[in-house]
Amino acid sequence: MSVIPFLRNSFVLGLAAFMLLAQSALIPARATDANEPESSSVASDLEQEQEASRLELRSVADEAELAAKALAALEGDIAALRADQQELDRKITETAARRTDLDQRITAGEQSMTGLSERQESVRLSLLSRRSVLAEVLAALQRIGRDPPPALLVSPEDALSSVRSAILLGAVVPEIRAETAALAADLKELATLRQAIASERVSLAAALEQNAAEEQRLANLAAEKAALQEESQRRLDRERQRAEALSVRSSELESVIASLAEEIVSLREAAEAARKAEEERQRQLAERLERARAFAAVAVPDKNRIMPAYQFSKLSGTLSHPVKGETVRHFGADDGTGHTLAGEVLATDQGATVHAPADGWIAYAGPFRSYGQVVIIDTGENHHVVLAGMEQIKVAAGRFVVSGEPVATMGQTRFAGSAALSLASERPTLYIEIRKDGQPVDPRLWWNDDMSSRKASNDT
């Protein structure tokens, strides 16, 4: 097996390195930075939800206003219907009173008719009782009319007869005249009463018919008004229920808006606090870096530091190889399989100690396929140093190491991944690769000319 598969999979190791860096001090800073836009996004979503709730509350308020107007109109209609109902009740009462009066008048008329009938019957009986006398008087009058008495001067014999006739007429005629006058008066009165009773009956019948029609009309109006009042009451109840539901919904929306406002304020306060905390952390970090730079300018860096003392990009040409040995393959050379080498291979001694070439965090430490033990060091500024082919590792992932600190030891033979290389020596070999932004770069740019030294000039 060759070194090329290892180089092709180094990107995977880089990803693993970044995952392991979650334990370091750099990842929390990035997480804090990521939380701020997330909080802003949540606050923006809540503001949109609050605006939607405000629009819904405005719509509910408009509906509640319309419901209030409808309630007022219905209450006015019901009041008018009640007033109409009261007026109808009053008219029905008046009609009933008129009906009672008409009934009384009819009763009185009937009683009057009874009296008149009795009077008529008495007059008729009186006439019947005097029929014989009247008949005699009338017969006498008829005879006188057919045979008038002779003049006294012409026929003195007839004087006695004339006197007798005169005496008879003088005795009977006044009585007949009086009876006749009384009878005529009675007959006239009877006729008048009959005509009055007939007229009163017609009037009472018309009044009764009109009163019955009025009663029916009033009863119909009362029933219609009662139905309208009942329907209006139902509509009023529905509108009241709707108004109550709108009031409840309005209260709920107001509570939601208030809750959203409080949550938005809390999120903004939290975001502001996180921003201030991040600014404070960045300030403190800048101060520590500044103190570290100032200290590095006047003194030897302390091995107890937790951050690189120098920027890795400024250490070009100052680093020493991680182990003493001889370079048997350089960057870009043919690896023996038709591919170019992405790093360099050093032949070293059995059991040799491998040191960290620069300050950094251990992003990965462990075996990888057939390449022996592998160590990846994050040196900052998106630079990584890959060391492969060791037998035993002395560091763990997530730990910070300083330049020159032992990280591993070599074994007795070269690592299996370089078996395909045409090496002149069977000595143990260490594969070294420096990557920037995930791409391999020529490591020769970073080494100094002194191959005997194990550490960079910045090591203690």
Side-chain angles (χ1 to χ4, degrees):
M1 186 178 291
S2 65
V3 181
I4 299 305
F6 170 77
L7 300 177
R8 292 176 179 174
N9 288 280
S10 59
F11 179 71
V12 178
L13 295 177
L15 290 177
F18 279 108
M19 292 177 64
L20 292 171
L21 279 176
Q23 303 175 2
S24 65
L26 296 179
I27 297 303
R30 296 175 185 172
T32 304
D33 295 339
N35 285 336
E36 185 172 356
E38 182 180 357
S39 300
S40 301
S41 175
V42 173
S44 177
D45 294 341
L46 290 176
E47 287 177 350
Q48 292 179 359
E49 184 177 353
Q50 186 183 32
E51 183 62 24
S53 298
R54 283 200 183 102
L55 292 176
E56 186 178 357
L57 177 61
R58 191 175 298 115
S59 175
V60 170
D62 295 339
E63 292 183 6
E65 184 177 359
L66 293 176
K69 292 181 179 179
L71 280 174
L74 285 172
E75 288 175 351
D77 293 343
I78 290 176
L81 288 172
R82 286 175 179 170
D84 293 343
Q85 188 71 29
Q86 292 176 355
E87 182 66 19
L88 287 173
D89 293 340
R90 185 183 65 79
K91 289 182 178 179
I92 289 173
T93 303
E94 292 178 355
T95 303
R98 285 198 302 270
R99 177 64 179 268
T100 302
D101 182 63
L102 289 173
D103 291 339
Q104 292 175 355
R105 288 173 60 188
I106 289 172
T107 302
E110 290 177 350
Q111 292 175 354
S112 176
M113 284 294 295
T114 301
L116 289 174
S117 297
E118 292 176 353
R119 177 70 182 276
Q120 181 182 3
E121 183 65 20
S122 65
V123 171
R124 188 181 66 82
L125 293 175
S126 176
L127 290 173
L128 288 175
S129 64
R130 289 178 290 178
R131 178 179 293 180
S132 58
V133 177
L134 291 175
E136 292 177 357
V137 173
L138 289 175
L141 289 174
Q142 287 178 354
R143 285 195 302 270
I144 291 172
R146 287 194 304 265
D147 187 13
L152 294 176
L153 294 177
V154 177
S155 179
E157 296 84 10
D158 292 333
L160 181 59
S161 177
S162 298
V163 171
R164 289 176 178 173
S165 298
I167 292 172
L168 177 62
L169 290 175
V172 175
V173 168
E175 184 179 356
I176 292 174
R177 184 181 290 112
E179 290 289 339
T180 302
L183 180 60
D186 290 341
L187 290 175
K188 185 177 179 181
E189 182 184 0
L190 183 60
T192 302
L193 288 175
R194 282 182 176 178
Q195 185 178 1
I197 289 173
S199 177
E200 184 70 15
R201 279 182 174 178
V202 172
S203 176
L204 289 175
L208 285 174
E209 184 178 357
Q210 182 180 2
N211 192 70
E214 182 70 12
E215 283 185 352
Q216 184 63 36
R217 186 180 71 84
L218 291 176
N220 294 335
L221 285 175
E224 183 179 356
K225 293 293 184 181
L228 287 175
Q229 185 175 353
E230 185 178 356
E231 177 62 23
S232 299
Q233 187 65 40
R234 286 196 296 267
R235 289 176 56 193
L236 181 63
D237 294 338
R238 288 197 298 268
E239 289 296 333
R240 282 176 178 171
Q241 292 175 359
R242 180 167 171 263
E244 291 175 358
L246 290 173
S247 176
V248 172
R249 180 58 180 164
S250 177
S251 300
E252 291 177 352
L253 288 173
E254 289 177 355
S255 300
V256 169
I257 291 174
S259 173
L260 289 174
E262 293 178 357
E263 192 169 354
I264 290 172
V265 171
S266 299
L267 283 174
R268 287 178 175 172
E269 291 177 352
E272 181 66 17
R275 185 185 63 79
K276 291 181 179 180
E278 177 61 17
E279 290 179 352
E280 179 65 19
R281 195 190 67 80
Q282 293 291 344
R283 185 187 63 79
Q284 294 177 359
L285 179 61
E287 290 179 355
R288 288 197 296 269
L289 288 174
E290 187 62 28
R291 287 196 299 268
R293 291 191 185 98
F295 180 76
V298 299
V300 178
D302 185 6
K303 285 190 176 182
N304 293 324
R305 60 184 176 273
I306 60 173
M307 296 185 65
Y310 305 97
Q311 296 180 1
F312 189 76
S313 59
K314 300 185 182 299
L315 297 179
S316 178
T318 64
L319 303 182
S320 297
H321 282 80
V323 68
K324 292 181 179 180
E326 177 185 358
T327 302
V328 295
R329 283 290 186 273
H330 291 282
F331 178 83
D334 186 5
D335 63 355
T337 62
H339 298 85
T340 58
L341 198 60
E344 64 181 20
V345 180
L346 269 68
T348 182
D349 297 330
Q350 175 182 346
T353 300
V354 180
H355 302 81
D359 298 347
W361 294 269
I362 303 298
Y364 180 80
F368 184 77
R369 296 185 180 178
S370 59
Y371 303 107
Q373 299 292 331
V374 176
V375 174
I376 300 177
I377 303 175
D378 181 1
T379 57
E381 297 183 315
N382 291 328
H383 285 81
H384 292 83
V385 177
V386 181
L387 305 175
M390 293 86 72
E391 183 178 46
Q392 184 179 3
I393 296 178
K394 298 182 178 180
V395 291
R399 176 182 168 185
F400 181 81
V401 296
V402 298
S403 175
E405 184 176 346
V407 295
T409 56
M410 300 301 295
Q412 297 181 358
T413 59
R414 57 193 174 92
F415 66 96
S418 63
L421 298 175
S422 300
L423 301 176
S425 173
E426 290 297 328
R427 298 164 57 193
T429 55
L430 176 68
Y431 175 76
I432 306 173
E433 179 179 314
I434 298 178
R435 302 178 70 85
K436 182 179 186 304
D437 297 324
Q439 300 297 325
V441 297
D442 191 352
R444 286 176 292 184
L445 301 175
W446 304 93
W447 311 129
N448 57 18
D449 294 335
D450 185 8
M451 292 294 295
S452 61
S453 175
R454 295 184 292 104
K455 293 176 283 186
S457 60
N458 65 334
D459 189 19
T460 52

